[in-house]
Amino acid sequence: MIDRQGQPLTDPKRASEGFLVPVGGPKGYGLALMFGLLAGTLNGAAFGRDVVDYTVDSKTASNTGQAIIAVDIAAFADVQAFKQDVDEVWDVMKSSRLYRRRRSPAARRALRIALPRTDGQGVPLGAQLRKVLDELADRLAIQRLQ
């Protein structure tokens, strides 16, 4: 956040006096706008200044929305080749000085512990969620998740 003079605003008690700054420059602004429109405007939830500020108003029900995007990689590329490309990109990112500077060994370890092991098989789903998704796939006459 920045204050009215454009100076960084780091005091949370003064948040109502400040303005959010887009993260990541023009690309970050574009991504934030896109996801805001998908998670808010597209599904009838609030967007931008119309979102209930829960730090100020704890009585009004939340009016935020959610967006979940599922992409069938096979519709765009060979899945195995895509996975190899992602591994290469990840290796390059991990080897960069910026990554090493921003991610301490303790943070990397905590992240590894917090994330479920998937062994390359995707995100594990609970039985109840799997059942709901299978029923939805059947209703839409599309392939169930593997």
Side-chain angles (χ1 to χ4, degrees):
M1 295 189 84
I2 58 172
D3 64 18
R4 294 185 185 279
Q5 288 72 43
Q7 298 303 310
L9 183 59
T10 58
D11 181 354
K13 293 179 179 148
R14 295 182 51 215
S16 63
E17 302 171 28
F19 304 94
L20 287 175
V21 178
V23 176
K27 287 182 183 178
Y29 177 83
L31 284 170
L33 176 62
M34 179 185 74
F35 282 105
L37 292 171
L38 290 173
T41 307
L42 180 63
N43 62 24
F47 178 70
R49 69 173 184 244
D50 297 325
V51 174
V52 172
D53 182 352
Y54 65 89
T55 64
V56 176
D57 180 356
S58 62
K59 299 201 183 319
T60 303
S62 172
N63 61 354
T64 58
Q66 306 298 319
I68 299 172
I69 300 171
V71 177
D72 180 4
I73 302 301
F76 298 92
D78 175 72
V79 175
Q80 204 52 40
F82 175 74
K83 287 180 177 183
Q84 288 174 345
D85 290 346
V86 169
D87 288 343
E88 287 178 29
V89 168
W90 183 239
D91 288 342
V92 169
M93 288 176 62
K94 288 188 304 187
S95 69
S96 76
R97 282 186 344 189
L98 180 62
Y99 177 85
R100 287 193 308 270
R101 208 173 32 189
R102 299 261 168 100
R103 306 280 297 176
S104 71
R108 286 194 302 274
R109 182 172 185 277
L111 184 61
R112 279 196 314 270
I113 291 169
L115 293 175
R117 284 192 53 110
T118 61
D119 298 318
Q121 300 302 311
V123 177
L125 300 175
Q128 188 63 23
L129 178 57
R130 170 65 75 160
K131 181 177 183 246
V132 169
L133 292 173
D134 285 346
E135 290 170 358
L136 180 61
D138 293 345
R139 194 171 74 230
L140 295 172
I142 61 174
Q143 183 179 354
R144 290 180 172 195
L145 294 174
Q146 299 300 318

